[in-house]
Amino acid sequence: MAEDFKLGPLNHVGVAVPSLPDAIETYKTLYGATDITEPFDMPAQGVKVCFVNLPNSQIELIEPLNEESPIHNFIQKNPKGGQHHVCFEVADIHQAVEVMKTRGATVLGEPRIGAHGTPIVFVHPKNSNGVLVELMETPKGDH
């Protein structure tokens, strides 16, 4: 089972921001982005998100909903925002969790539904050269 496991495509790069409207304006005016989703709240995760759709991937812009949000602490340390995580697709999130744990990685929490409506989990940055990695089950009907 573990020998069959591999990462799928890069799905998105998560960028924590102090203000979604300001970040959206930056991506529109500085980078010429034209396909940006409407922001939506994810109270269970303590964030408001939107996606900048690109030809080969997405940028997930993430704003904390409140001071209890895990993104709030990130913004406290990085007031202008910054890269928060990279997200790779996997065929089966439960297999991915099992393999990550077997290989000695620290999986943060249990699988939960992410912004794309599919199960996700995070792997601690200490296991990935300082990068927080999100693993997301490939949405059904994609790829």
Side-chain angles (χ1 to χ4, degrees):
M1 184 174 192
E3 60 277 351
D4 296 336
F5 175 80
K6 64 179 183 177
L7 288 179
L10 173 71
N11 182 277
H12 65 268
V13 174
V15 177
V17 300
S19 165
L20 273 181
D22 291 349
I24 290 167
E25 187 60 27
T26 297
Y27 277 88
K28 285 180 177 178
T29 59
L30 184 60
Y31 298 111
T34 57
D35 187 0
I36 301 175
T37 67
E38 281 295 316
F40 58 97
D41 292 353
M42 296 190 66
Q45 299 201 27
V47 295
K48 177 179 279 207
V49 301
C50 73
F51 290 94
V52 179
N53 293 312
L54 306 170
N56 63 340
S57 189
Q58 293 178 311
I59 297 171
E60 179 184 34
L61 300 175
I62 316 160
E63 176 186 322
L65 276 177
N66 52 47
E67 291 186 5
E68 286 75 46
S69 170
I71 300 299
H72 176 75
N73 292 336
F74 185 93
I75 295 295
Q76 290 294 104
K77 294 176 188 165
N78 306 277
K80 293 184 179 182
Q83 181 183 330
H84 183 261
H85 67 271
V86 294
C87 176
F88 297 100
E89 295 181 17
V90 295
D92 181 319
I93 197 71
H94 297 288
Q95 177 197 27
V97 168
E98 184 177 315
V99 170
M100 291 298 100
K101 288 180 178 179
T102 299
R103 293 181 180 173
T106 300
V107 175
L108 304 173
E110 294 298 317
R112 57 200 173 279
I113 300 302
H116 287 89
T118 63
I120 63 161
V121 73
F122 288 90
V123 178
H124 198 284
K126 72 181 181 184
N127 301 118
S128 307
N129 307 102
V131 177
L132 180 63
V133 172
E134 178 182 358
L135 301 176
M136 177 184 97
E137 195 167 292
T138 300
K140 303 303 178 224
D142 284 8
H143 309 294

